[in-house]
Amino acid sequence: MNIYEIHDIAELIKDNSYVGRGIVIGKTADAKKACVAYFIMGRSANSRNRVFVERDDALFTEPFDASKVEDPSLIIYAALREHENKLIVTNGDQTDTIWNGLKLGASFTSALATREFEPDHPNLTPRISGMATFANGDFTYEMSILKSADAEGSACNRYTFAYPSLAGLGHFIHTYVCDGNPIPTFQGEPERVAIPNDIDEFTDKLWGALDADNKISLYVRYIDLESGNVENRLINKNK
């Protein structure tokens, strides 16, 4: 087993019908850009009734058909926000918990200490979060997963990972291992994945590998580390 192997993200997910929601953060192979990506999948009609919308330099999930919304509490939220030199991305309203915490002097980890996994029995979906911090023409990044300690949801296990940015390397964390009932929660450390130089190559690879029935939306952002210029790609299955 090579613990330093860097995987093709498409190979990791192409035969997996349900990895849930996923976050990728890393640096392009030429070391010139940061990559931050987020995707959502869904099995229920309520979950699938969503689109990504960019507004005020942030990314939101919104209903595709507002008349069909059953329960917005866990599916409608700000998924990506900026604060000063930090870019936050998460799978729930803990985006705002981190964003507001930073404004008050909290850290990524201390802000998330106030949250836990989602209360959606029996799945008890983990909350996954990431944050890139930019300085001096480079960046570092952190990732977090908040998971139930048992099948009853009696306590929360908290895992935080901190990374330097290395050329060609990204880390990929997702909510579930695969489909199931209940759905098995992601295990272990974020997976090491390759980050190509071209945003369209990465976007097409990731979107094409996600299960056609269950994928909903994908957002990819590349940030030029020298100029600060930003490129975004947004794909919604619902149009």
Side-chain angles (χ1 to χ4, degrees):
M1 179 181 178
N2 179 6
I3 62 171
Y4 299 114
E5 181 178 0
I6 300 177
H7 301 276
D8 182 324
I9 195 168
E11 294 299 315
L12 290 178
I13 62 177
K14 68 178 183 178
D15 296 319
N16 191 335
S17 64
Y18 203 60
V19 292
R21 286 164 276 176
I23 294 170
V24 183
I25 304 177
K27 182 185 279 184
T28 55
D30 61 10
K32 293 182 178 180
K33 296 177 181 179
C35 166
V36 176
Y38 178 56
F39 66 80
I40 58 175
M41 305 179 77
R43 302 188 305 174
S44 68
N46 188 52
S47 184
R48 290 178 175 181
N49 180 36
R50 287 184 289 173
V51 291
F52 280 167
V53 175
E54 290 181 284
R55 188 171 64 250
D56 301 325
D57 297 320
L59 178 72
F60 297 85
T61 62
E62 292 189 354
F64 176 62
D65 183 344
S67 68
K68 296 181 179 179
V69 174
E70 299 168 15
D71 178 7
S73 62
L74 296 177
I75 66 168
I76 306 301
Y77 51 88
L80 180 146
R81 285 192 186 277
E82 299 177 5
H83 175 68
E84 297 179 345
N85 65 330
K86 302 179 187 298
L87 181 60
I88 308 156
V89 58
T90 89
N91 73 326
D93 63 10
Q94 74 269 23
T95 302
D96 288 341
T97 301
I98 300 167
W99 189 57
N100 289 319
L102 292 174
K103 294 177 183 178
L104 297 174
S107 67
F108 176 76
T109 303
S110 63
L112 285 169
T114 66
R115 304 301 304 272
E116 59 179 28
F117 51 89
E118 295 180 0
D120 59 336
H121 290 269
N123 296 317
L124 301 172
T125 299
R127 292 190 185 273
I128 56 172
S129 307
M131 186 175 76
T133 301
F134 297 87
N136 303 315
D138 207 349
F139 72 104
T140 58
Y141 56 102
E142 300 165 85
M143 286 182 152
S144 163
I145 184 167
L146 309 179
K147 299 168 49 171
S148 178
D150 53 33
E152 291 70 42
S154 64
C156 182
N157 292 341
R158 304 171 184 278
Y159 304 89
T160 303
F161 307 90
Y163 300 104
S165 60
L166 300 178
L169 174 63
H171 287 86
F172 173 39
I173 191 167
H174 41 100
T175 51
Y176 306 124
V177 175
C178 58
D179 207 345
N181 191 21
I183 317 173
T185 295
F186 180 88
Q187 302 293 316
E189 296 183 19
E191 297 161 323
R192 293 162 59 90
V193 296
I195 306 296
N197 296 332
D198 186 74
I199 187 173
D200 291 314
E201 176 186 346
F202 184 70
T203 302
D204 292 346
K205 180 187 291 285
L206 181 49
W207 183 250
L210 291 169
D211 182 80
D213 291 331
N214 292 325
K215 65 185 178 184
I216 301 170
S217 297
L218 168 65
Y219 184 81
V220 180
R221 175 174 292 188
Y222 271 35
I223 304 104
D224 188 292
L225 295 172
E226 181 177 356
S227 68
N229 290 340
V230 171
E231 288 184 277
N232 298 323
R233 299 291 184 270
L234 190 159
I235 302 175
N236 285 315
K237 186 177 179 181
N238 295 315
K239 298 179 181 180

